[in-house]
Each structure stands twice: as structure tokens, then as C-alpha cells.
Amino acid sequence: MIDVIIVGSGASAVNAAWPLVKAGLRVVMLDAGIQDRRDYAAEIPSLPFSEIRRTDENQHDYFLGRDFEGIPFGPVRVGAQLTPPRQYLTHEADNLLPVVAKQFEALRSFARGGFASGWGASAPPFTDDDMRGWPITRDDLQPSYANVAERIGICGENDPELREFLGDDLPLLPPAKMDSNAAHLMSSYRARKHALNHRGFHAGAARLACVTKRHRGRGPLAYHDMEFWADKDEAIYRPVYTLRELVKHSNFEYVPHVVVESFADSDTHATLSAKRLQTGTRESFTATKVILSTGTICTADIVLRSLGNARLPIVSNPYVYYPCFVWSMLGRKVRDRRHSLTQLAIYHRPHDPAEPLLQAQVYGYRSLLTYKLLKESPLPHRESIKLLQLMQNYFVIVGLHHQDLPTKSKIITRDGDRISVSYQLSTSEKAMQARNEAELMRNFSSLGCRAIKRIDPGAGASIHYGGTLPMTHDNRPFTTAPNGRLRGTRNIHIADGSVFPHLPSKGLTFTLMANADRIGSAMADEFKKT
Amino acid sequence: MRGNASSLAVECRQFSRYLIGRDPSAEIMERYARACMKFSDDALRGNQRAYRFARRHPWSLPFLDAGCGVADGTNVLRRRLLIASAILETTTDHADVFLPRTRPLPAAIAITLFHGAKAALKIIVGVPLLLLVKTL
């Protein structure tokens, strides 16, 4: 019999699989495994952005998309980073798992590697403060953070001044070089550090899942500023790289084109009911243990189909961003070679100590092209082009993920053959967010960085979902034990965002991977004992 | 409203001259026509009056674009100009018009003031013109 079936191939799934495969267990990974049939990536030259723009006659193909799917109409919506080469990540989702969601963007990915195939690579670990109320602590996660950091390659600094926000040291690669705007903001921050720290504002190099020197056959980062379009140097971590390593093991099997619909659990094993995508035929897979890791929304669907319908909580970091102009840089030369990922990480402790930490990320803009800014400009196009040409070098995007706690107004359930999500922030949540944002942006202003506009892409836009099957010590239905076991079952474990009781104001992907590694490692130990 | 390829090519030339002061290549005109025909009617649906007026009276294009920018940002005219801008930007011929450029601070301030003033004038003329065109 198969020892463990893992469902999904995203960031959590491959990192849950790793310790199990290394322990010699027979592991099978079932996955829809949708791939990019258009293969834009093959067309993109391994050259810096500015050189591509000046020399590649085919650039329109991947920048705009062959069906011009990269030209946005309507209001700013979710996933601006899902450029045409990344749009396959959501293909087939509406067919495979229809969702009805009012005022909530419920993105699902059935792609090989999941959403982390287009991930922005920000990798801040959670601290005990971030995990307040969880049944696990940073100490429980620390070995897995270290394992994952080594496995995927994380660059950054173990800055003692940021330990309060990042926790204990981890094995890190050298930090990525900041672009000119970020370096300037950092130097302004250092000059006013005492006053800013007093106001709760702290800044430092971003921790990124990106290899700045050769690591496990990948990288190093080439500073081509093409990270939203291609992964030519494989510097940014993608789950498919771990999958590529996993399939080299004889005790691991990857089975694509399979969508798991439900499970049945017994005392000794679990059976999965699945559908083959190519033939539509139904098939069963049996294993001693199952780990569901298909992403919060898909996992909720499988659990509700299997255990009966219920109203589950759901959380999603409210996400907003501010295009900002670093006016104090105007007229200064900027470096052409740069990367498109987070340049700076900001940690803001609000004035009211009862309110949660707010983390912000500072990005450059250039590689997302001017026409998307033209759409947002109220000026005539001709003048906008002239002004943007002058000012674009000094644009940064400040992105904020607010903490999200479960409430009765944030619910996911099954409605017929569909998943239904209703999500509403309370007035007090909105007021707290507005207050904290205003405090944070005031501090940015003092660095010579002025916000031009506030853009709220709407609920769910962070593509950070969790909280549906929270880890807890309480023995309640539709919750999970700290080892990821789904209550009411013996052999079904969950290792994706579903188990996070709430989402702090931080990117969650690194912690998803560390928690999956922790669950996989604990399961491997359990197998050894029995 | 979808147009045929030749009238879309003419439209592309008009828009390109306005946006960057240059004529587009035949390849760009073909790409623009293909893009306009590819977009669903939904994307290019809406009040067509400003767009049609600007096509018939090319002198009005900068003003109607400016008027729509502040009063009707999702107008069909703005959408078509966005398509033209995106297509022009992603060509080697015109990349230099869109790629960021560093200027010394005094020049940067002067350019900003100059284009800011031009934009303001166009808006002053454009908003009433847009209202007039919409009532025609």
C-alpha cells in the first residue's frame, strides 16, 4: 500500500512531501497539474528588461499576450502580478471548482506548482506575536523554517534590530541588492531612524525566496527585472523545482491530471475518490495517510464533500497598495540592473499597542510597463506618457497586507455544486485598517516618498486565504489538531493555509511551507514508530 | 463597436500621431486592428459619441481624451487609446518613448511644469467639449 498520498503540488504540498520521501516512505502526489500550454516563457530572452524592450521584436507576444489578455480594462482587480505568462495559473479553475462569491475574489489554482509559480517570493517568518492564539509557537516552526530556508534558498539579513518582527536567525543567503529608490529610502530611514522607530516604523532588507548565489543548481539572481514574466535563471523559488528533485526518488510518484473530489477514512487507511481530467473517469486511491494540500478553497471543498456541508470560517489578508513617488530622488540617476521583487520590508507597530503589527513591502514598478499606469492617470495620454517617462524611475509601490481574523461575516460553504464565499469586513475592522495605513503612510512621507493614490483591489485580492479548518487544541468538528490531522478522521491531514487560525499582516507562503514541512516531518516520525 | 481592418488601421495612425508624434508601421496597424477585433463587445461597449467625434474631427482628439480623463475615465475613446498605447509601447521602434529617462533636476521640473500646464489647458477645453459632444 502507498504510505502517504499528497493532494496538490503547490508550496505546501511539495514541502510536506520532502521529509516523507527523505524518510524512505512511499509517497504519491495527485495533482491536476495544469501547465502553460502557450509556453510564453520559451519566447522570453534571458536579457535585462531594458535590453529586451529595445531589441526583442516579439516582446508584444508575452508582454500583451497573444490574445491581448495583458491589456487591462475596468477597475484594478486581483493579481496584477499575474502577467500573460502567469495567467495559466488560474486556467480551468471555474470549470473544476465553480465559486459564487459576493464582493470576494476567490482565486483557485489547479496549476502544477500552484500559485507559488507566480509568487512574489516575499518570505518573512511568523513570530509568536503573529501566531497569538495558535496551538503552535515559533519554536515549533523554527526547525522547519531552517529546513525550508536551506531547501528553497532565502536571501536577506538576520538583522538584530528586526528580530522583534522576524524572530530567531535562519540560514540565509546574502541579501539581494536594492534598487536605487529603495537604497535611497533606506538611507533616509537611517538618518531619521531614532524618530521613526519611536513612532513604531522599522525598515530593513526584504527576505526573499530568491537565490543570490548558486544554490542547489539554481540562480544566481541575474537582476534582469523580468521576475514577473519569466524565471530564466531559476533564482526565484517555485515549487516545481522541489517537485523536480522529488521525482528523482524511486519512492516518489507524481500523478498529474487527477482532481481529488472526496475522501473516505477508516481505522487503518484513507481512500480518495478522484477524477481523471483527460478521460473523465473516476478512480480510487488508497493510502495509509493522506495529506490534503490543494489550497484553502479547494481543500474546503474536498472536506465539505466528504464530511458533509457546514459553514466554515475563512480569512484573507485585506490588501491595498499605494503607488508612491519618491520625489527626493527626482533628477538622480537610477541603476538599470535590478530585480522586480520586494525591495524593502517595513514593520509598523501602530500607536495603539492593542492593534496588530502592520507589514508593508516596497516594490519597484518599471517592468509592469507604462500602459497600466496610463490607465490610472486622469491626464491626457500624450502628457501622461511624457510625464511618466520622466517620473517612472521614481515610482515605488507600497503594498500592505492587513491582519485578518475570523468573524461570523466571513464564511465559506458548499452551495449545490459550487463553493460559496461571503466575506464582509466590519466597520471597526475597516476603521482600524484606515487608521494604521494613515500612520504608516505619514512615516513614508517623512522619507521623501509621497503616496499618489490608494488602490484597493477588493476582498480576496491578496490571494492569501486561510482559517477554514483551524489548528486548535479544542476537539471540535472541522478543526485540525496541531499535527494537521483533521478532527473526525484518523488518517486525513491538512497542510495548507486552511489550518492557520488567522492571518497576520505578513506574506504567508514561507510559513505555509514551514508548517507543511513540520506536518510532514511529524508524520514521518510517526511512521518510524509504528 | 468593431470596425473593419482598414478603418482601424487609419484609426491607429491617428492615435499614434497623437500619442507619440510618429506614424506606426504597417505591422503595428495590423496588430491594433487585430486587438480591437479581438476584444469582446463588452470591453469596447459604451457611449461611442466622443470616440466617433474624435475620429471625424482629429483636432478634437487631445481635448476629448483630456475631458474623458477627468470626467469619464472608462470611455470607449480612452480604452482605444489604451490599446494603442500598449501596442506602441511593446515595440522596439517606440520603446524609447516609454522607457524611463533621467533628466537633471531643473530640466525635470521644467518638463513637468510644461506638460502639466498643457494637460490643464486641454482639460479646460476638453471637459465642456465632451459634454457638448455627448449631447449632440
Side-chain angles (χ1 to χ4, degrees), chain A residues 377-385, chain B residues 18 62 65-66 78 119 122-123:
Chain A
S377 167
L379 301 180
H381 278 81
R382 188 182 170 95
E383 280 67 34
S384 293
I385 290 169
Chain B
Y18 161 58
D65 176 27
R78 293 279 289 190
K122 285 180 182 174
I123 290 167

Side-chain angles (χ1 to χ4, degrees), chain A residues 194-460:
Chain A
H194 184 71
L196 285 164
N197 287 173
H198 185 68
R199 298 206 295 263
F201 185 95
H202 302 259
R207 293 230 183 137
L208 298 169
C210 164
V211 296
T212 46
K213 61 180 191 185
R214 196 91 180 135
H215 183 79
R216 295 177 86 116
R218 295 170 35 222
L221 181 65
Y223 296 97
H224 281 173
D225 198 12
M226 285 295 289
E227 285 77 15
F228 289 123
W229 307 92
D231 299 308
K232 289 285 176 189
D233 47 27
E234 297 195 350
I236 315 304
Y237 175 72
R238 306 292 175 205
V240 289
Y241 305 149
T242 302
L243 184 58
R244 193 168 62 193
E245 291 190 60
L246 284 167
V247 295
K248 290 178 187 161
H249 295 76
S250 58
N251 55 328
F252 177 83
E253 188 185 358
Y254 176 68
V255 183
H257 316 303
V258 172
V259 174
V260 171
E261 294 177 326
S262 61
F263 59 77
D265 186 50
S266 76
D267 286 348
T268 55
H269 62 271
T271 302
L272 294 171
S273 171
K275 188 167 79 176
R276 291 268 178 189
L277 285 180
Q278 288 162 328
T279 58
T281 52
R282 288 202 153 63
E283 202 170 325
S284 293
F285 296 84
T286 299
T288 308
K289 299 275 182 195
V290 164
I291 296 179
L292 298 178
S293 199
T294 59
T296 296
I297 294 170
C298 298
T299 295
D301 182 61
I302 295 170
V303 170
L304 293 174
R305 279 170 185 261
S306 309
L307 299 184
N309 202 8
R311 286 162 59 83
L312 304 181
I314 186 167
V315 288
S316 173
N317 293 120
Y319 180 58
V320 292
Y321 57 94
Y322 288 83
C324 297
F325 183 57
V326 189
W327 57 267
S328 50
M329 276 288 287
L330 190 62
R332 297 190 196 198
K333 284 201 168 166
V334 298
R335 248 200 320 270
D336 183 59
R337 297 295 288 272
R338 59 185 96 160
H339 65 82
S340 325
L341 307 171
T342 307
Q343 303 287 335
L344 272 182
I346 308 295
Y347 306 91
H348 179 64
R349 187 74 70 195
H351 184 65
D352 180 349
E355 295 193 345
L357 176 79
L358 181 58
Q359 200 226 335
Q361 296 158 331
V362 179
Y363 297 88
Y365 178 82
R366 181 183 64 163
S367 69
L368 288 173
L369 299 166
T370 310
Y371 68 87
K372 292 178 189 165
L373 289 175
L374 287 176
K375 186 170 86 64
E376 302 302 317
S377 167
L379 301 180
H381 278 81
R382 188 182 170 95
E383 280 67 34
S384 293
I385 290 169
K386 299 275 186 196
L387 291 171
L388 286 172
Q389 187 184 41
L390 190 68
M391 295 178 175
Q392 209 190 120
N393 267 335
Y394 315 114
F395 271 127
V396 295
I397 305 287
V398 177
L400 306 165
H401 289 105
H402 288 285
Q403 169 191 272
D404 199 26
L405 301 174
T407 69
K408 285 179 179 170
S409 305
K410 302 168 188 169
I411 297 294
I412 182 168
T413 187
R414 272 183 65 76
D415 178 7
D417 284 337
R418 297 171 171 190
I419 277 285
S420 165
V421 182
S422 73
Y423 183 98
Q424 189 80 47
L425 288 172
S426 68
T427 313
S428 63
E429 284 175 312
K430 285 180 188 166
M432 183 178 76
Q433 288 170 13
R435 226 171 19 245
N436 295 343
E437 276 175 40
E439 271 183 37
L440 178 75
M441 297 316 292
R442 265 199 302 277
N443 289 325
F444 263 107
S445 291
S446 70
L447 297 179
C449 174
R450 179 71 68 177
I452 297 166
K453 194 173 180 179
R454 177 185 188 270
I455 297 179
D456 179 356

